[in-house]
Amino acid sequence: MKPLTSMRYIPTGPQLRSRLTHVSSWKLPKQKSTLAPDDVWTNEDMDPVKIENQTWTIWTWMAYWATDTINLGTWQTASSILAVGLSWREAIPAIVVGTSCVAIPMVLNGAIGAKLHIPFSVAIRASFGYYFAYFAIVSRAVLAMFWLGIQGASGAQCITIMIEAIWPSYANIKNTIPESQGISSKGMISYFLFWVIQLPLLLIPPTKLRYLFITKLIAAPITALATMGWCVAKAGGSGDIFAAKATVSGSTKAYLFLSCMSSVTGSWSTLACNIPDFSRYARSSKGQYIQLPVLPIIFTLCAVIGIVTTSATGVIYGELIWNPLEIIEKWLAKGSGGRAAAFFAATSWYIAQVGTNITANSISAANDLTVLFPKWVNIERGCVIAAIIGGWVIVPWKILSSAQTFLAFMGGYAVFLAPIAGILCSDYWLVKKQHIDVPALYDPRGRYSYRYGTNWVAVFAMLISVGPNLPGLARSINPDHVKISAGARNLFTFDWLFGFVTSIVVYTTLSSVFPQKSSLVERTVYGPESVVMGVSDVEKDVEGECSVLAIPIRFLAFGS
């Protein structure tokens, strides 16, 4: 049997002693980048993905979204819509329109990673500039780590149910933690176990995630359908929620619809920016287009399952239960059979939560940290750092229990992410016509340094897109003390859509009026031959040539 220290994640004795006594021992070995200048520190995780690691196919994309959208948050999305006074007739269209809106930038920005095989934190330099890109990178990293912790705190309930299903006495653990901390002793044990079990799963390489997708694809849908089937059978039908009508009307109803639609869209605002972090592993640049129909369809189906199940619980228990874990928890009182069902159902939802944390939060934050601290952080270390900061430093359980203003601010963070997504896709598709000088993205003195590393057009577009929504964001954080006009309130109801569309219009218009010619190239420049060999869909001109270091070379370089 091999010793534990033979595993790449576990340091040997001398390495451990060195890292406990010398900070410099944590520095990563300087790697020879195929693109970055010698004086720029980088690591392999920032470079274009090697061809042997381009493993994602169209089926991987379908499995990705099937697993990413089936989680506790999606299940409960419809509840927030119905709770404000709309009926299912408005809830389902709001979900369809909202997810369709975010699927558009998902595909447009995903094409960047699928063609160039670079992460978001490198691709964003083409539009924002080499140094201003750090604003977008930090913004996305902070939000990803925040939701990594929040999702973990919510998922800890799965561990509680699993343990109580095996050892019912776990429910009677004496609480020794003050109520002001927002968590009980039992809750802390469950959360710690959730975090510890999740940590090694966060280290799964993106190229191997398809195995997790398959596991979740089997477990989560079966559990969701089984829960709905049991509730409908027990209630003798789906309840009367489909007969309910909206309790609001007129302009109030219209703005509530827009607000709910924007909430659905905003929940995926992070991925709309950083989808290149995943599409860079695509085998073909065309497979990622399947996201456009798949995301709205799967998200809507999961939300409908949540509506039907919740309606049936109203008949069974006399109250509407939106959280599926609360339904499962009630099975614990139904003897050994009920506890067995609760254990397997909770396990499925645990897998669903961890899978979402990996794809939507952990890898995103890790990619950002590799660019922010290339001397010290690679993808693996980034995942661990994100898990520690998101899981413990921000104290997510206390935020969920008391810090509602902070939650409101982070929920409204889509105000900043929408323009980032809009500028990224408009720059690639409308301004640069899909032609990027990839080596220049790694050079602080290259064509994307603009002026002092900042593209003033992106700065102006951000200000114009974000500014009008700041009053609404301030009011959402402190509604009792911030007074704004009705127009500002109404504008904030569709903050994501406004920011996304406005940023595209402003950025594209200014780039046309004040073209920055030095940042434009006639054909995509992939880099040296070793990089081109890893590009799955290298473009060719009419003579069968491709751009390598801005010098055309015959396609014979590929051995044809």
Side-chain angles (χ1 to χ4, degrees):
M1 182 177 178
K2 294 183 179 180
L4 287 175
T5 52
S6 65
M7 299 175 64
R8 59 184 300 188
Y9 304 119
I10 300 178
T12 61
Q15 286 177 328
L16 186 60
R17 284 192 294 272
S18 177
R19 290 178 180 179
L20 290 175
T21 56
H22 300 92
V23 175
S24 60
S25 65
W26 287 92
K27 187 181 296 184
L28 293 167
K30 181 104 168 45
Q31 296 178 338
K32 177 68 175 178
S33 174
T34 53
L35 295 175
D38 291 336
D39 62 315
V40 176
W41 199 290
T42 184
N43 59 57
E44 191 179 61
D45 292 327
M46 294 169 57
D47 280 351
V49 175
K50 295 177 180 178
I51 195 166
E52 61 265 26
N53 291 328
Q54 295 169 21
T55 58
W56 284 38
T57 65
I58 188 173
W59 299 107
T60 312
W61 280 110
M62 294 175 67
Y64 171 81
W65 282 113
T67 57
D68 209 34
T69 53
I70 302 175
N71 56 57
L72 297 174
T74 304
W75 180 290
Q76 298 176 78
T77 294
S79 67
S80 61
I81 299 178
L82 300 181
V84 298
L86 299 179
S87 71
W88 68 271
R89 296 175 183 82
E90 293 80 39
I92 293 177
I95 291 170
V96 172
V97 175
T99 51
S100 297
C101 284
V102 80
I104 293 172
M106 206 79 74
V107 167
L108 294 177
N109 290 332
I112 302 173
K115 178 182 178 181
L116 305 178
H117 303 285
I118 55 177
F120 159 81
S121 43
V122 172
I124 194 67
R125 292 170 175 170
S127 53
F128 276 60
Y130 192 91
Y131 292 117
F132 185 51
Y134 287 114
F135 166 76
I137 295 169
V138 170
S139 298
R140 206 277 307 266
V142 168
L143 196 64
M145 287 188 284
F146 172 81
W147 287 117
L148 178 64
I150 296 298
Q151 290 279 2
S154 301
Q157 189 179 353
C158 298
I159 296 293
T160 298
I161 295 174
M162 291 163 64
I163 296 177
E164 288 184 6
I166 302 175
W167 299 288
S169 59
Y170 184 68
N172 304 320
I173 288 181
K174 182 181 178 180
N175 180 40
T176 58
I177 299 177
E179 186 177 349
S180 60
Q181 297 303 309
I183 194 170
S184 64
S185 297
K186 180 179 69 174
M188 177 58 75
I189 295 172
S190 296
Y191 178 76
F192 177 76
L193 291 173
F194 179 96
W195 188 88
V196 167
I197 299 171
Q198 174 186 248
L199 185 59
L201 298 176
L202 297 180
L203 297 175
I204 298 175
T207 54
K208 303 290 181 60
L209 282 176
R210 61 183 181 275
Y211 302 114
L212 176 66
F213 294 163
I214 293 172
T215 303
K216 185 178 173 182
L217 190 59
I218 295 172
I222 290 176
T223 299
L225 291 172
T227 302
M228 181 185 71
W230 182 86
C231 288
V232 169
K234 191 76 172 177
S238 59
D240 58 0
I241 203 167
F242 287 98
K245 296 182 179 180
T247 58
V248 292
S249 59
S251 61
T252 302
K253 183 178 181 179
Y255 281 116
L256 277 176
F257 179 90
L258 287 172
S259 178
C260 294
M261 182 197 74
S262 191
S263 295
V264 172
T265 306
S267 65
W268 297 102
S269 59
T270 304
L271 266 177
C273 294
N274 73 267
I275 193 63
D277 289 343
F278 299 96
S279 62
R280 65 190 294 219
Y281 296 99
R283 188 173 297 169
S284 167
S285 61
K286 299 177 177 62
Q288 64 99 23
Y289 289 106
I290 195 66
Q291 296 178 96
L292 193 58
V294 166
L295 173 57
I297 291 172
I298 298 178
F299 194 99
T300 303
L301 286 175
C302 188
V304 169
I305 291 174
I307 292 176
V308 173
T309 305
T310 299
S311 180
T313 60
V315 177
I316 301 171
Y317 303 110
E319 61 175 336
L320 296 177
I321 301 176
W322 290 104
N323 188 343
L325 294 181
E326 293 183 16
I327 301 173
I328 295 171
E329 197 171 20
K330 292 183 178 296
W331 297 351
L332 295 172
K334 296 185 177 296
S336 57
R339 293 205 308 273
F343 175 83
F344 288 111
T347 302
S348 296
W349 285 118
Y350 174 86
I351 295 172
Q353 288 298 97
V354 172
T356 300
N357 251 353
I358 293 173
T359 54
N361 301 316
S362 175
I363 292 177
S364 304
N367 272 291
D368 292 335
L369 291 173
T370 61
V371 173
L372 293 173
F373 310 103
K375 285 186 180 182
W376 309 94
V377 181
N378 54 21
I379 290 286
E380 294 155 359
R381 290 185 181 182
C383 288
V384 174
I385 293 170
I388 293 173
I389 294 177
W392 300 99
V393 175
I394 70 168
V395 197
W397 56 87
K398 197 163 187 177
I399 292 175
L400 283 174
S401 66
S402 60
Q404 295 305 311
T405 56
F406 188 54
L407 275 174
F409 171 75
M410 297 307 290
Y413 211 76
V415 166
F416 301 95
L417 294 180
I420 293 174
I423 292 171
L424 180 63
C425 70
S426 61
D427 177 76
Y428 179 73
W429 288 93
L430 301 177
V431 177
K432 295 188 170 64
K433 311 295 184 183
Q434 305 177 55
H435 299 311
I436 300 292
D437 182 353
V438 178
L441 294 171
Y442 294 82
D443 187 354
R445 298 172 296 277
R447 67 175 72 248
Y448 302 122
S449 62
Y450 295 98
R451 187 173 177 82
Y452 302 113
T454 301
N455 182 3
W456 73 269
V457 175
V459 175
F460 191 81
M462 281 291 297
L463 292 175
I464 296 299
S465 304
V466 172
N469 271 315
L470 290 180
L473 177 61
R475 183 179 179 275
S476 71
I477 296 171
N478 193 354
D480 296 330
H481 297 89
V482 177
K483 306 299 180 183
I484 61 175
S485 65
R489 285 199 305 272
N490 293 335
L491 178 64
F492 190 68
T493 59
F494 54 98
D495 58 336
W496 189 92
L497 191 60
F498 172 84
F500 180 70
V501 174
T502 302
S503 64
I504 291 176
V505 173
V506 173
Y507 186 85
T508 305
T509 302
L510 288 177
S511 296
S512 300
V513 177
F514 306 102
Q516 307 198 56
K517 297 180 180 179
S518 62
S519 68
L520 304 177
V521 291
E522 293 183 357
R523 289 181 297 170
T524 300
V525 181
Y526 290 97
E529 184 177 339
S530 59
V531 174
V532 177
M533 291 293 287
V535 178
S536 55
D537 297 299
V538 175
E539 59 184 49
K540 293 180 287 183
D541 62 17
V542 292
E543 296 181 0
E545 299 179 341
C546 63
S547 291
V548 181
L549 287 180
I551 302 174
I553 66 169
R554 293 293 170 186
F555 208 62
L556 291 174
F558 293 85
S560 60

